[in-house]
Amino acid sequence: DTAVSQTPKYLVTQMGNDKSIKCEQNLGHDTMYWYKQDSKKFLKIMFSYNNKELIINETVPNRFSPKSPDKAHLNLHINSLELGDSAVYFCASSQTGVGEQYFGPGTRLTVT
Amino acid sequence: GEDVEQSLFLSVREGDSSVINCTYTDSSSTYLYWYKQEPGAGLQLLTYIFSNMDMKQDQRLTVLLNKKDKHLSLRIADTQTGDSAIYFCAAILSSGGYNKLIFGAGTRLAVHP
């Protein structure tokens, strides 16, 4: 009965590779988010989708491409990985217009 | 834009009260939130307060909001070792008709015996 789930939990890869992180929520929410948490625990929003439509796109390199096949799923694809992409990536969801966001357990990405 | 600031560390003795402070800049933030992050885990919503309230109590948690000073605090009564975690303050910023959360840097609470 997990509310927001992410796979994989850990991802170790080399520079230059392409990788994807998947997120699913079973809360019936309309809005989903991707956040990046750096090594100092600073949390910053990257993208937000509402009913499969991109609504928030912060200043994120083009190498990051979110995709929402339906409102319960939001995936994050990263091309040409760089060392600076190493972080924990969190997916979250909320009901439209309501601020309470529910977070997934995070995906720790390590680029070597 | 919105800026949210918190002190980075707080150390308390078990059984004492903890008070974590937060300031924000955008007075139009309608909701303010407190999240808890335990090691290796995601963020867990603890509580929130609507901007027209000045206090909210939920068991051991008390949230105080001073809207004039744009100051938010979280008080944890009878702090336990299980309360050791990072606590994030977050404010809502409306952007293009949608809401996004702006987080503070997090306050690391250490509870010692």
Side-chain angles (χ1 to χ4, degrees), chain A residues 18-68:
Chain A
D18 303 338
K19 289 293 176 187
S20 292
I21 307 172
K22 296 187 175 183
C23 177
E24 177 181 0
Q25 55 96 3
N26 62 6
L27 296 166
H29 288 163
D30 294 327
T31 308
M32 296 184 73
Y33 311 81
W34 277 111
Y35 288 86
K36 179 180 180 181
Q37 186 175 45
D38 63 25
S39 58
K40 293 184 179 172
K41 303 297 185 185
F42 188 67
L43 199 66
K44 194 167 191 311
I45 189 167
M46 300 172 69
F47 301 103
S48 177
Y49 271 73
N50 177 262
N51 278 321
K52 304 192 295 175
E53 183 184 332
L54 181 66
I55 57 170
I56 295 174
N57 185 351
E58 295 293 295
T59 314
V60 178
N62 290 339
R63 300 181 293 103
F64 289 79
S65 52
K67 199 161 276 189
S68 182

Side-chain angles (χ1 to χ4, degrees), chain A residues 9 33 35 37 40-43 45 50 55-56 58 90 96-106, chain B residues 31 33 35 37 40-45 48 86 88 92 95 98-106 108:
Chain A
K9 191 166 171 62
Y33 311 81
Y35 288 86
Q37 186 175 45
K40 293 184 179 172
K41 303 297 185 185
F42 188 67
L43 199 66
I45 189 167
N50 177 262
I55 57 170
I56 295 174
E58 295 293 295
F90 287 101
T96 304
V98 177
E100 297 161 52
Q101 294 183 16
Y102 294 84
F103 283 75
Chain B
Y31 286 91
Y33 298 84
Y35 282 84
Q37 185 179 28
L43 276 73
Q44 171 197 352
L45 177 65
Y48 64 92
I86 301 176
F88 290 93
I92 282 232
S95 172
Y98 293 95
N99 296 325
K100 61 180 180 182
L101 282 182
I102 306 298
F103 285 86
R108 192 179 294 270

